[in-house]
Amino acid sequence: SKYTDLLKSKMSEASFNKLAALENQKVMDFVGQFADHCNPATIYVCDDSKEDEQYIREQAVAKGEEFVLARDNQTIHWDGPSDQARDKVNTRYLVYKENLERMKSLNSVEYNEGLEEIMSIAKNNMAGKDVVVKFFCEGPAFSKFTMPCVQFTDSWYVAHSETILYRPAYEHFKAMKDEEKDEFFRFIHSAGELDERGCCVNIDKRRIYMDTQNNIVYSMNAQYAGNTVGLKKHSMRLAINKGGQEGWLCEHMFVMACVNEEKGRKTYFTGAYPSACGKTSTAMIPGEQIVGDDIAYFRNMDGEFRAVNVEQGIFGIIKDVNEKDDPVIFENLNKNQEVIYSNVLRAEDNLPYWLGSGLDTPKKGDNFSGKDWYEGKKDAKGNEIKCAHGNARYTMRLDYLDNFDKAGYEDTNGVLVEGVLYGGRDSDTTVPVEESASWEEGILLKACTLESETTSATLGAEGVRTPSPMANMDFLSYPLGEYTLNNINFVKDLKEVPKVFSTNYFLRTKDGDFCTSKLAKKVWVHWAEGRVQGEYDAIATPTGKIPVYEDLKDLFKKYLDEDYTREEYTYQFTFRCSKWIEKLERSKVYFKKMDEFCPEIVFAKWDNFIKKISDAKAKYGDEILPGKF
Ligand code: OXD
Ligand code: MN
């Protein structure tokens, strides 16, 4: 390689040998190009060994990006006060001129212009720093699902996070056949200059630029994991695009198994939920099993709908994780095992505290706002700074959890998916659970129309609905209309097509209270499980099929020991015609706005549903009680 001398000057012999042993020109050129351009002091190349993982952990602490906490193997990392969430404004696609028109509703920049900008920011951005190169993969290694990835970063916190969150793949790279050697994702990341707390200084030059045409993502002057961890949201955008071209899907979904002990069966579901709509809590319903909590790949494997969890760990929101609401995670955070906390409070006892922990929270300590947080501290705008950020996180391996489905997770063929859930949040439109009449109706009526509703916890007006098709808009890397059709067409050669369900855990009574408790999701999922297995009758509505009262009554008794009344059922499962028509009209407006080239067929199908609902309204009235349609 033309970079051999340069690389040898920045690497130990052992590191260079690890790189050379891959016999992969594209890897060599990638590492060489950025070794030259970003100009780090040294480069450490990792294989899959425990020694290299340990070296990363130690360096994250030695370099001041993480601090050791009281419990064994637990550390804390802070992102700077302005680096606490995904930066949607500065996250852009680099798009060739000829594709700009097609991509215009997705945040894009002309290829050469964007590349020039990002490369000028990247120039010497690693000066004086030590870089780590590590190989990972999405999904299990050595399988049809495997997406190999290489991460080049000057942040040992980012590398440490990835060591927890993703499967190692140095050996996979080593075994790649010549014809596969070009097929991997490349992530180049630099936190750049750091302050004394290990936080990124040059936030004004934060940019995340994605080149889906060449499968490379550039992330500069950022540290928050959603902006930096290449294998998470960056890779997701590359995979959505690649899947779209190759006929598979990358979805923003959990994978879980609903366990029916009595019948001795296990049914796999995947689920997409916009944030704050119950995704994690559904993936972790007590008594069921979890395969993954955030990202799934779907493939048609010999006519079967199979899915893998792309990840190995959880980068979870820690707010409201407490003994009562989230016992499994809470228990694991309290053990002496590896966890990286980010943006929580470190108090004098050297333990972490966060919002909604249920613990007595000390009144001072270090937090994301600085070293000297105290209760009542205000920011520059005069707003009170809470003990921890609302988006503070924990990073932890999934296999710590007792309810982890190890066999399903490890299966190189993925798990057989029999049900897909789309969970929105609205107070007055959709029923708690509904099955779609078909896959296509599921995509059009459940997935594309997903919305979440603002709550008192978010700034601004309450009850405002935000469209969130497939809960995937932030990561969509090609136009929404095409993506919708790819979702519809994905099942066309399958022997068995999963059933699609919507859920809504947030329907409210006339008095404004939630209709059901947080635990009721177990009932809705078990009803879906029964339907998948050919049990339970269902009642038709204009948008699908709902449960009959008696089955829910039994399920509530069995799983929650609750008496579910017919009055509750009737209210919750009433079909609200005008509300549904408004919902579909909102979806039409949103699709038009987000993709002016969205195929007419999508709108035509929605118009058919609107007509069907209007006819029903004329015949049965605006609110149709269960069984009256
Ligand atoms: C997200 C996440 O932002 O998973 O979706 O962190
Ligand atoms: Mn996510």
Side-chain angles (χ1 to χ4, degrees), residues 297-318:
Y297 288 175
F298 293 164
R299 274 184 184 272
N300 171 342
M301 303 277 270
D302 297 324
E304 289 185 344
F305 191 125
R306 313 280 305 190
V308 293
N309 172 15
V310 158
E311 308 181 280
Q312 157 180 289
I314 316 178
F315 174 59
I317 296 180
I318 201 163

Side-chain angles (χ1 to χ4, degrees), residues 249-264:
L249 295 172
C250 169
E251 294 299 310
H252 195 198
M253 287 191 178
F254 65 66
V255 183
M256 60 91 77
C258 182
V259 181
N260 190 325
E261 301 257 356
E262 201 177 297
K263 304 258 164 71

